Amino acid sequence: MMLKNAGAKDRLMELFSGQKLAVLSTARKDGHPYASLVAFVAAEDLQSIYFATSRATRKYENLQKDPRVAVLVNNSINISADFYQAISVTGMGNAAELSGDTAGRALLLYVEKHPYLEDFVRSPSCGLFQVTMTTYYLVENFQNVTEVHI
Amino acid sequence: MTMKWVIPVAELTKDDQIRVGGKAYMLYRLHNGGFSVPKTLFIPTDAYMDYVDRTGLRERIQAELRRKALSEMRWEEMWDCALRIRHMFSKKPLPDEMAKVIGDAMAAAFGEQPVAIRSSALEEDSAAHSFAGIHDSYINVKGCAQILSHLRRVWASLWSDAAILYRREIGLDVQASAMAVVIQEVIEGECSGIVFTKSPTRGNQGVLEAVHGMNQALVDGAVEPDRWIFDRKTRKFLAHTPAKRDQWMQLADTGVELVELPLDKSASAPLDPETAEAIFLNAFSIEAFFKSPQDIEWTMDHHRLVFLQARPITTLSEKGAGDDRSWYMGLRRTYDNLKTLRSKIETELVPAMEEAADELGGINLADLTDRGLAEEIHRRKKIYDQWKAVYWSDFIPFAHGMRLFGETYNDIIQPDDPYEFVDILSAGELMSLDRNRYLEKLALMVREDPLLAASLKQEDPASFPPEFADALALFNNQFGDLSCGMTDMSGCRPDPTMIYRLLLNMAGQKAAKRISKKTDVTLEERVMEYARRFPASGTIDAFDLLELARASYRMRDDDNIYLGRIEAQLFAAVNEGSRRLADAACQDGEADESLREAVNALVPQADGPKHSSASGRQVRPRQLRGQPAGPGFFSGTARVVSVVSDLENFKQGDILVCDAVEPNMTFVVPLAGAIVERRGGMLIHGAIIAREYGLPCVTGIADAAEVIRTGDLISVDGYLGVVTILSAE
């Protein structure tokens, strides 16, 4: 599907390649939101974001019950100018653990960006997830918000 | 710009010192001073940095080193850490661009000519510290591909356990380390040697040593050299001490080998007096050039004198100052060294231990007077302590046999799992597996005989059927007393009825899972593949090394059992003493004072609960990072084993959590779902047994037996070395 704003797409991609970490929100079984930091990589077409987590974590447990997630990526550097300079993106989507060939391809993409996490992501005790994105909310200049539907 | 990855000796500048390390810079200065050096290329630290950055290794090394504070790591944990880092280097080829640039430069400079690849770490061979021998060097490596793979091995040796420990000891920043490498043509000189322009023992003299052939043999101390002494002031020759001259070092297919010296050579000194004097005078010019006394290596190539290395002499007094490099080098055991140790263990120590246990077992304790028993307890304690000291001095170092094999195996096979080699070693039988099979057999007898089970419940050995009584006696005789931990007396209350309860427990559960016999075909194939690819150096045979490593692997388990037999005899005497003291108390009699002292010194007094009060665990650990010691993932109920009696309640599928898996605990391992241990390391007892049974295992979890409690639901990730407390009890 076409992006409504091609320029926004480029900015998103630039942000995603520049950042290593994203905040991932999952839902606990009682519905309470639960936020975690994850190392991520985004697909070139922005349709998917990939992350990995060990099977013993709370986020893994949460995802077994409810695949809906929010993802936040931003490039602030903890200075006051961030409020005008930094870009922040909140994405919404559905997460699914990958297996087989799809997992193999995603793994290569993930390791290319995070070579130091290769042992971690290749471990059989680690799950590799694909978040199929539906919407991005791009926040710039403090209060400029652009919706990008996928 | 990419040429910063390779610098020919002639193109170095003064500013490059910091990029090529001390050894390389000295070579450059020699070359610049007009002294002849071999054809040399430098791989500066830039190449190391780019390699670890581009491959992601920099972060992986840090992650590995930060599993635990370095100061808290046991040396066995350090081995594992080093092994895993070495494995990372071995599995990560140079990025294409680097491989091309460095490879092309090597091909252009050396073609198929053999080269030596030596470390030149930044701190190396500075006046303050000598790293000689701490890092790896390889000699006689041929062809581009081989040079590139050995380059990575030399880089990896920056992170050997000896190197990490040595840096920590002398206070260098471990994290900031980087390594340059020197690549040199190999010169198979007619004769070679060293010169100390100033003798370390006599300051007014210089010393020249020489051997036929290459100087590797002299530097390693394998061949005794001819020695010439010169007067430093007059530069006159003073004395020549000839050597025995029976061997020399020659190039093998790969590496070098020590071979017999031909008769015509052994009859004559490697140098005539004129040449010796000429070498000394040249060495003296080098001293003048560097303005300090030098330790110089040289070789004679078709009557041309070539200098291989020069470094300032670190004097004896400086060396004493907290620099115990030899100890760190001792962490690297050689094949020969281990072979000697094996023979000592197998032919002297083990028979002597068995003899000691038999001698003690032959004494009828009931016949001794109280005073005699007190003396016997002291004597047994002394014997036990002696053997425990031997255990540390000889048996533990012998574990390096496994390690030597592991490194070799990983180098030539490059498996995905750096511990795959353990599967090959475990093809031999371990005694504690025998013991566990035997226990299963006894439990089966109990399971099939309700009357026997009843007798066990009543703790009435008199009513055991003879067949079972004999089998039990044989078990105790062969494997010692199960109710005692091994290396630590605390927590041991000798209790012959403990095995009754254990057998009842085992009989009540379904048969323990069989030890999965590893598919022998695959193992056999792996062994053959290892042997096929084993480098033909002529000095070590692939199967000899494997055999040594298997002996080392078995001994790592069996030695505990041998020591356990002696300990069991000590306990038997203490037990007899305790019984007599109790009897005396019952009958209001006077017990012998010396016996009371002897027993009380060894029997632990009643101890309170080990855990601090469970005052609302408001801050509690959730996820704990240790070392992956047995692959697999398992969730279940934790069973913390602090004292031997904790083992009685062990249920099938429980996760064994303990400070250290004592050999005498391993009989519950077949029941366990996973193992968590405070003590770290991959080659420690618990890890070996876990791997043998195919159980997930994480070691090196700080305070495991305190932070995890019996009843907690935990998961054990043996792939990544992580334990998660899913829900606390």
Side-chain angles (χ1 to χ4, degrees), chain B residues 208-246:
Chain B
L208 164 66
E209 293 181 340
V211 293
H212 287 290
M214 303 173 70
N215 76 340
Q216 207 68 17
L218 192 167
V219 177
D220 294 349
V223 169
E224 186 200 346
D226 276 48
R227 177 177 290 121
W228 287 263
I229 306 287
F230 290 86
D231 187 298
R232 276 172 60 78
K233 204 180 267 172
T234 63
R235 311 211 179 159
K236 286 279 177 263
F237 161 72
L238 296 176
H240 169 213
T241 317
K244 208 163 83 195
R245 300 184 205 122
D246 46 4

Short mmCIF file of all heavy atoms in Angstrom, two decimals, chain B residues 208-246:
data_model
loop_
_atom_site.label_atom_id
_atom_site.label_comp_id
_atom_site.label_asym_id
_atom_site.label_seq_id
_atom_site.Cartn_x
_atom_site.Cartn_y
_atom_site.Cartn_z
N LEU B 208 76.86 -14.50 24.57
CA LEU B 208 76.36 -14.90 23.25
C LEU B 208 76.03 -16.39 23.33
O LEU B 208 76.85 -17.18 23.80
CB LEU B 208 77.44 -14.64 22.20
CG LEU B 208 77.28 -15.32 20.84
CD1 LEU B 208 76.06 -14.80 20.10
CD2 LEU B 208 78.52 -15.12 19.98
N GLU B 209 74.85 -16.76 22.89
CA GLU B 209 74.49 -18.19 22.86
C GLU B 209 74.11 -18.55 21.43
O GLU B 209 73.51 -17.74 20.72
CB GLU B 209 73.31 -18.48 23.79
CG GLU B 209 73.68 -18.30 25.26
CD GLU B 209 72.52 -18.61 26.21
OE1 GLU B 209 71.36 -18.61 25.77
OE2 GLU B 209 72.81 -18.84 27.39
N ALA B 210 74.46 -19.77 21.03
CA ALA B 210 74.17 -20.17 19.66
C ALA B 210 73.85 -21.66 19.58
O ALA B 210 74.38 -22.47 20.34
CB ALA B 210 75.35 -19.84 18.76
N VAL B 211 72.94 -21.99 18.64
CA VAL B 211 72.62 -23.39 18.35
C VAL B 211 72.67 -23.60 16.84
O VAL B 211 72.56 -22.64 16.08
CB VAL B 211 71.19 -23.77 18.84
CG1 VAL B 211 71.11 -23.72 20.35
CG2 VAL B 211 70.14 -22.85 18.21
N HIS B 212 72.82 -24.84 16.42
CA HIS B 212 72.66 -25.16 15.00
C HIS B 212 71.18 -25.00 14.65
O HIS B 212 70.32 -25.28 15.47
CB HIS B 212 73.10 -26.60 14.72
CG HIS B 212 74.58 -26.80 14.76
ND1 HIS B 212 75.42 -26.28 13.80
CD2 HIS B 212 75.38 -27.44 15.65
CE1 HIS B 212 76.67 -26.62 14.08
NE2 HIS B 212 76.68 -27.32 15.21
N GLY B 213 70.90 -24.56 13.43
CA GLY B 213 69.50 -24.47 12.99
C GLY B 213 68.82 -23.21 13.51
O GLY B 213 69.46 -22.20 13.78
N MET B 214 67.50 -23.32 13.69
CA MET B 214 66.71 -22.15 14.04
C MET B 214 66.76 -21.89 15.55
O MET B 214 66.96 -22.80 16.33
CB MET B 214 65.26 -22.36 13.60
CG MET B 214 65.16 -22.64 12.11
SD MET B 214 63.49 -23.08 11.63
CE MET B 214 62.68 -21.51 11.83
N ASN B 215 66.50 -20.65 15.92
CA ASN B 215 66.69 -20.33 17.33
C ASN B 215 65.46 -20.59 18.19
O ASN B 215 65.49 -20.36 19.39
CB ASN B 215 67.17 -18.89 17.51
CG ASN B 215 66.05 -17.89 17.30
OD1 ASN B 215 65.05 -18.22 16.69
ND2 ASN B 215 66.23 -16.69 17.83
N GLN B 216 64.38 -21.11 17.57
CA GLN B 216 63.18 -21.43 18.33
C GLN B 216 63.50 -22.37 19.49
O GLN B 216 63.01 -22.21 20.60
CB GLN B 216 62.19 -22.13 17.38
CG GLN B 216 60.75 -21.96 17.78
CD GLN B 216 60.31 -20.51 17.59
OE1 GLN B 216 60.98 -19.75 16.89
NE2 GLN B 216 59.22 -20.14 18.23
N ALA B 217 64.39 -23.33 19.21
CA ALA B 217 64.72 -24.34 20.22
C ALA B 217 65.44 -23.72 21.40
O ALA B 217 65.25 -24.12 22.54
CB ALA B 217 65.60 -25.42 19.59
N LEU B 218 66.25 -22.72 21.12
CA LEU B 218 66.99 -22.06 22.18
C LEU B 218 66.05 -21.20 23.03
O LEU B 218 66.06 -21.26 24.26
CB LEU B 218 68.07 -21.19 21.55
CG LEU B 218 69.17 -20.61 22.43
CD1 LEU B 218 70.28 -20.08 21.54
CD2 LEU B 218 68.71 -19.54 23.35
N VAL B 219 65.21 -20.45 22.34
CA VAL B 219 64.29 -19.55 23.05
C VAL B 219 63.33 -20.35 23.92
O VAL B 219 63.02 -19.97 25.05
CB VAL B 219 63.51 -18.67 22.03
CG1 VAL B 219 62.51 -17.78 22.74
CG2 VAL B 219 64.48 -17.83 21.23
N ASP B 220 62.86 -21.49 23.41
CA ASP B 220 61.96 -22.33 24.20
C ASP B 220 62.68 -23.12 25.29
O ASP B 220 62.05 -23.78 26.11
CB ASP B 220 61.25 -23.37 23.31
CG ASP B 220 60.33 -22.70 22.31
OD1 ASP B 220 60.09 -21.49 22.47
OD2 ASP B 220 59.88 -23.37 21.37
N GLY B 221 63.98 -23.12 25.24
CA GLY B 221 64.74 -23.88 26.22
C GLY B 221 64.82 -25.36 25.90
O GLY B 221 65.21 -26.17 26.75
N ALA B 222 64.47 -25.74 24.66
CA ALA B 222 64.47 -27.17 24.31
C ALA B 222 65.88 -27.69 24.00
O ALA B 222 66.16 -28.87 24.14
CB ALA B 222 63.54 -27.41 23.13
N VAL B 223 66.75 -26.82 23.53
CA VAL B 223 68.10 -27.24 23.17
C VAL B 223 69.11 -26.37 23.91
O VAL B 223 68.97 -25.15 23.97
CB VAL B 223 68.32 -27.13 21.64
CG1 VAL B 223 69.78 -27.32 21.28
CG2 VAL B 223 67.47 -28.14 20.90
N GLU B 224 70.10 -27.04 24.46
CA GLU B 224 71.12 -26.31 25.20
C GLU B 224 72.08 -25.65 24.20
O GLU B 224 72.53 -26.30 23.26
CB GLU B 224 71.87 -27.32 26.09
CG GLU B 224 72.86 -26.68 27.03
CD GLU B 224 73.90 -27.71 27.51
OE1 GLU B 224 73.68 -28.92 27.33
OE2 GLU B 224 74.93 -27.28 28.05
N PRO B 225 72.39 -24.39 24.37
CA PRO B 225 73.25 -23.71 23.40
C PRO B 225 74.74 -23.73 23.79
O PRO B 225 75.08 -23.92 24.95
CB PRO B 225 72.75 -22.26 23.47
CG PRO B 225 72.30 -22.10 24.89
CD PRO B 225 71.84 -23.45 25.38
N ASP B 226 75.61 -23.54 22.80
CA ASP B 226 77.01 -23.20 23.10
C ASP B 226 77.01 -21.77 23.63
O ASP B 226 76.19 -20.95 23.20
CB ASP B 226 77.86 -23.24 21.81
CG ASP B 226 78.32 -24.65 21.49
OD1 ASP B 226 77.47 -25.57 21.53
OD2 ASP B 226 79.52 -24.82 21.21
N ARG B 227 77.94 -21.49 24.54
CA ARG B 227 77.91 -20.15 25.15
C ARG B 227 79.30 -19.50 25.07
O ARG B 227 80.31 -20.15 25.32
CB ARG B 227 77.43 -20.25 26.60
CG ARG B 227 77.43 -18.93 27.35
CD ARG B 227 76.87 -19.07 28.75
NE ARG B 227 75.44 -19.32 28.72
CZ ARG B 227 74.84 -20.39 29.25
NH1 ARG B 227 75.57 -21.30 29.85
NH2 ARG B 227 73.54 -20.53 29.19
N TRP B 228 79.31 -18.22 24.68
CA TRP B 228 80.54 -17.44 24.67
C TRP B 228 80.40 -16.23 25.59
O TRP B 228 79.34 -15.60 25.60
CB TRP B 228 80.84 -16.92 23.26
CG TRP B 228 81.30 -17.98 22.30
CD1 TRP B 228 82.59 -18.28 21.96
CD2 TRP B 228 80.46 -18.86 21.53
NE1 TRP B 228 82.62 -19.31 21.04
CE2 TRP B 228 81.33 -19.69 20.77
CE3 TRP B 228 79.09 -19.06 21.43
CZ2 TRP B 228 80.85 -20.67 19.90
CZ3 TRP B 228 78.61 -20.04 20.58
CH2 TRP B 228 79.49 -20.83 19.82
N ILE B 229 81.44 -15.97 26.35
CA ILE B 229 81.41 -14.81 27.24
C ILE B 229 82.41 -13.76 26.72
O ILE B 229 83.53 -14.11 26.32
CB ILE B 229 81.85 -15.20 28.68
CG1 ILE B 229 80.99 -16.37 29.20
CG2 ILE B 229 81.79 -14.01 29.62
CD1 ILE B 229 79.59 -16.00 29.56
N PHE B 230 81.96 -12.51 26.71
CA PHE B 230 82.84 -11.41 26.27
C PHE B 230 82.98 -10.38 27.37
O PHE B 230 82.06 -10.20 28.18
CB PHE B 230 82.26 -10.72 25.02
CG PHE B 230 82.33 -11.57 23.80
CD1 PHE B 230 81.33 -12.49 23.51
CD2 PHE B 230 83.42 -11.46 22.94
CE1 PHE B 230 81.41 -13.29 22.40
CE2 PHE B 230 83.49 -12.26 21.82
CZ PHE B 230 82.48 -13.18 21.54
N ASP B 231 84.11 -9.70 27.36
CA ASP B 231 84.29 -8.58 28.27
C ASP B 231 83.68 -7.35 27.62
O ASP B 231 83.99 -7.01 26.47
CB ASP B 231 85.79 -8.36 28.51
CG ASP B 231 86.02 -7.31 29.59
OD1 ASP B 231 85.61 -6.13 29.37
OD2 ASP B 231 86.58 -7.67 30.62
N ARG B 232 82.78 -6.69 28.34
CA ARG B 232 82.10 -5.55 27.74
C ARG B 232 83.05 -4.40 27.44
O ARG B 232 82.90 -3.69 26.44
CB ARG B 232 80.99 -5.04 28.69
CG ARG B 232 79.68 -5.81 28.55
CD ARG B 232 78.70 -5.41 29.62
NE ARG B 232 78.36 -4.00 29.58
CZ ARG B 232 77.50 -3.45 28.73
NH1 ARG B 232 76.90 -4.20 27.85
NH2 ARG B 232 77.24 -2.16 28.79
N LYS B 233 84.02 -4.21 28.36
CA LYS B 233 84.88 -3.04 28.21
C LYS B 233 85.89 -3.25 27.07
O LYS B 233 85.98 -2.45 26.14
CB LYS B 233 85.59 -2.77 29.53
CG LYS B 233 86.02 -1.32 29.68
CD LYS B 233 86.72 -1.09 30.99
CE LYS B 233 85.78 -0.62 32.08
NZ LYS B 233 86.43 -0.56 33.40
N THR B 234 86.64 -4.36 27.15
CA THR B 234 87.69 -4.59 26.14
C THR B 234 87.13 -5.19 24.87
O THR B 234 87.76 -5.26 23.84
CB THR B 234 88.75 -5.55 26.70
OG1 THR B 234 88.10 -6.81 26.95
CG2 THR B 234 89.33 -5.03 28.00
N ARG B 235 85.87 -5.72 24.99
CA ARG B 235 85.19 -6.44 23.89
C ARG B 235 85.98 -7.68 23.47
O ARG B 235 85.89 -8.13 22.32
CB ARG B 235 85.00 -5.53 22.67
CG ARG B 235 84.38 -4.21 23.10
CD ARG B 235 83.53 -3.64 22.05
NE ARG B 235 82.96 -2.40 22.56
CZ ARG B 235 82.48 -1.44 21.82
NH1 ARG B 235 82.51 -1.57 20.51
NH2 ARG B 235 81.97 -0.37 22.34
N LYS B 236 86.74 -8.19 24.38
CA LYS B 236 87.54 -9.38 24.07
C LYS B 236 86.79 -10.63 24.49
O LYS B 236 86.08 -10.66 25.50
CB LYS B 236 88.90 -9.31 24.80
CG LYS B 236 89.86 -8.31 24.19
CD LYS B 236 90.57 -8.93 22.97
CE LYS B 236 91.50 -7.94 22.29
NZ LYS B 236 90.86 -7.26 21.12
N PHE B 237 86.98 -11.68 23.75
CA PHE B 237 86.42 -12.99 24.02
C PHE B 237 87.05 -13.57 25.29
O PHE B 237 88.27 -13.57 25.46
CB PHE B 237 86.70 -13.86 22.79
CG PHE B 237 86.60 -15.32 23.03
CD1 PHE B 237 85.36 -15.93 23.23
CD2 PHE B 237 87.74 -16.11 23.07
CE1 PHE B 237 85.28 -17.28 23.44
CE2 PHE B 237 87.66 -17.47 23.28
CZ PHE B 237 86.42 -18.05 23.47
N LEU B 238 86.25 -14.05 26.23
CA LEU B 238 86.78 -14.58 27.49
C LEU B 238 86.70 -16.10 27.60
O LEU B 238 87.64 -16.74 28.02
CB LEU B 238 86.03 -13.97 28.69
CG LEU B 238 86.16 -12.46 28.91
CD1 LEU B 238 85.28 -12.02 30.08
CD2 LEU B 238 87.61 -12.07 29.16
N ALA B 239 85.54 -16.66 27.24
CA ALA B 239 85.40 -18.11 27.42
C ALA B 239 84.33 -18.69 26.51
O ALA B 239 83.38 -18.00 26.15
CB ALA B 239 85.03 -18.40 28.87
N HIS B 240 84.48 -19.94 26.14
CA HIS B 240 83.47 -20.66 25.34
C HIS B 240 83.08 -21.93 26.07
O HIS B 240 83.96 -22.72 26.44
CB HIS B 240 84.06 -20.98 23.95
CG HIS B 240 83.20 -21.95 23.17
ND1 HIS B 240 83.72 -22.87 22.30
CD2 HIS B 240 81.84 -22.13 23.12
CE1 HIS B 240 82.75 -23.59 21.75
NE2 HIS B 240 81.59 -23.15 22.24
N THR B 241 81.78 -22.14 26.32
CA THR B 241 81.32 -23.38 26.94
C THR B 241 80.55 -24.17 25.90
O THR B 241 79.45 -23.77 25.49
CB THR B 241 80.38 -23.08 28.12
OG1 THR B 241 80.94 -22.01 28.88
CG2 THR B 241 80.17 -24.29 28.99
N PRO B 242 81.11 -25.29 25.41
CA PRO B 242 80.39 -26.08 24.40
C PRO B 242 79.17 -26.78 25.00
O PRO B 242 79.15 -27.04 26.20
CB PRO B 242 81.42 -27.11 23.94
CG PRO B 242 82.68 -26.82 24.67
CD PRO B 242 82.39 -25.90 25.80
N ALA B 243 78.20 -27.09 24.15
CA ALA B 243 76.99 -27.79 24.62
C ALA B 243 77.02 -29.23 24.12
O ALA B 243 77.93 -29.62 23.37
CB ALA B 243 75.76 -27.08 24.08
N LYS B 244 76.02 -29.99 24.51
CA LYS B 244 75.96 -31.40 24.11
C LYS B 244 75.63 -31.54 22.62
O LYS B 244 76.09 -32.46 21.96
CB LYS B 244 74.90 -32.12 24.96
CG LYS B 244 75.18 -33.58 25.15
CD LYS B 244 74.36 -34.15 26.30
CE LYS B 244 72.98 -34.48 25.82
NZ LYS B 244 71.99 -34.70 26.84
N ARG B 245 74.85 -30.65 22.09
CA ARG B 245 74.49 -30.61 20.65
C ARG B 245 73.94 -31.93 20.11
O ARG B 245 74.58 -32.61 19.33
CB ARG B 245 75.72 -30.25 19.80
CG ARG B 245 76.33 -28.92 20.13
CD ARG B 245 77.46 -28.62 19.17
NE ARG B 245 78.41 -27.72 19.76
CZ ARG B 245 79.71 -27.99 19.93
NH1 ARG B 245 80.21 -29.13 19.50
NH2 ARG B 245 80.50 -27.09 20.49
N ASP B 246 72.73 -32.32 20.56
CA ASP B 246 72.16 -33.56 20.01
C ASP B 246 70.91 -33.32 19.14
O ASP B 246 70.51 -34.19 18.39
CB ASP B 246 71.85 -34.57 21.13
CG ASP B 246 71.12 -33.91 22.30
OD1 ASP B 246 70.82 -32.70 22.19
OD2 ASP B 246 70.88 -34.58 23.31
#
